[in-house]
Amino acid sequence: MRSRVLALTLAGCGTWLGSAGVSMAAEPEARGSGATTATAPAGRGAVVVAIGSGVEAAAKPLAREIYRDEALRPSLDDRAARVLAGEAVAADAPAKERELAEVRSALTTNDDAPSRRLLASLGAEQKAEIVVAVSMAGDRPVARVLRVGTARYESIELGPTIERSEAGEIRYTWPGAAATLRKLVIVPQAAAPAPLAPKQTSTKAPAKPEEPTPKPFYKSAWFWGPVGAIVAAGAAVLITSKVTEDSTGMVRLRGQVAP
């Protein structure tokens, strides 16, 4: 298993480097000469990735919050969205799904080059512009933002509002997260309508009906979750969230621990 994870890690780094148009051998020369290295083509939106164990309960609500925003929604299928958010994979799941889960399990929160490049490679594979990496900092979840094209973390950190019920159940919400992340992505502009072409009589045979496509993940029951509870809580906790900036320039968006 260790050798397989190492192979996946090296393959992930290689994928990112190849898509970025640079190589490890050429990197020192480029830095020394002051040349600007090419970056990978910009993807679309943000993909949420859970790193480590015990993160799924916090990563899923953040994924729902982000994927509801059309400007942040990546090109994901339902199963990939679930796996990346930390959901367990069945033993008889397709090989591609199991490999995605293995790569996710190999990710770390380290800020070294191999860790960042593997995470960037995962984001590039999902055609995302940024990766929102959710992990646990002690007993509290935290989300950091990595830009896929540069494999570097942005100076921003997101924290949830934590609500505990009388029965001891913990629920996480991420007020203000989507609005904050919209400032970091390229918002697609609506294309101008094409001019109407003159109507022509066609002699072609009727086109065959298209095969049904899989349901998009943002239309699944998993994606929406407890909508009513989230909307009701969001209006209340948004007032108590705050943005702070520390001496290093790191911007932190924090919620609160509700009683």
Side-chain angles (χ1 to χ4, degrees):
M1 178 63 185
R2 180 175 299 176
S3 61
R4 177 174 177 77
V5 169
L6 177 60
L8 287 168
T9 303
L10 293 175
C13 293
T15 300
W16 184 88
L17 288 171
S19 63
V22 299
S23 66
M24 295 185 71
E27 188 176 355
E29 181 180 352
R31 288 181 178 177
S33 62
T36 302
T37 56
T39 57
R44 171 189 167 88
V47 61
V48 176
V49 179
I51 299 180
S53 58
V55 192
E56 180 185 355
K60 278 190 172 183
L62 180 57
R64 296 182 184 114
E65 175 72 18
I66 291 174
Y67 297 159
R68 283 194 187 97
D69 192 318
E70 187 176 356
L72 298 173
R73 190 180 301 151
S75 302
L76 276 179
D77 59 50
D78 181 65
R79 284 305 308 166
R82 292 170 181 253
V83 172
L84 291 176
E87 190 169 294
V89 175
D92 59 348
K96 184 177 181 180
E97 191 174 311
R98 285 185 276 111
E99 287 182 3
L100 184 61
E102 288 182 12
V103 173
R104 188 191 69 79
S105 66
L107 297 171
T108 71
T109 57
N110 297 337
D111 199 3
D112 56 80
S115 299
R116 288 186 280 105
R117 287 174 177 174
L118 179 58
L119 188 57
S121 174
L122 186 60
E125 183 180 345
Q126 304 303 326
K127 298 180 176 60
E129 185 178 353
I130 59 176
V131 176
V132 183
V134 187
S135 60
M136 297 298 293
D139 60 348
R140 188 179 182 91
V142 64
R144 299 180 65 193
V145 180
L146 181 132
R147 190 164 294 279
V148 171
T150 61
R152 300 257 178 206
Y153 282 106
E154 296 285 337
S155 297
I156 188 168
E157 190 176 273
L158 307 176
T161 288
I162 305 174
E163 298 177 324
R164 291 183 174 89
S165 67
E166 294 181 357
E169 182 181 355
I170 298 177
R171 190 167 69 88
Y172 303 96
T173 56
W174 298 80
T180 301
L181 294 176
R182 278 181 68 97
K183 301 174 184 178
L184 301 178
V185 301
I186 300 174
V187 178
Q189 301 295 325
L196 296 176
K199 189 174 182 180
Q200 299 179 353
T201 303
S202 176
T203 57
K204 294 181 180 180
K208 295 182 180 179
E210 295 183 359
E211 296 182 0
T213 56
K215 181 188 292 186
F217 74 93
Y218 54 86
K219 293 185 178 180
S220 69
W222 167 84
F223 170 72
W224 289 108
V227 178
I230 289 177
V231 172
V237 300
L238 184 58
I239 301 173
T240 61
S241 64
K242 61 180 180 179
V243 178
T244 60
E245 183 174 353
D246 59 22
S247 59
T248 64
M250 174 72 76
V251 177
R252 304 177 191 273
L253 176 65
R254 286 296 193 196
Q256 69 166 9
V257 179

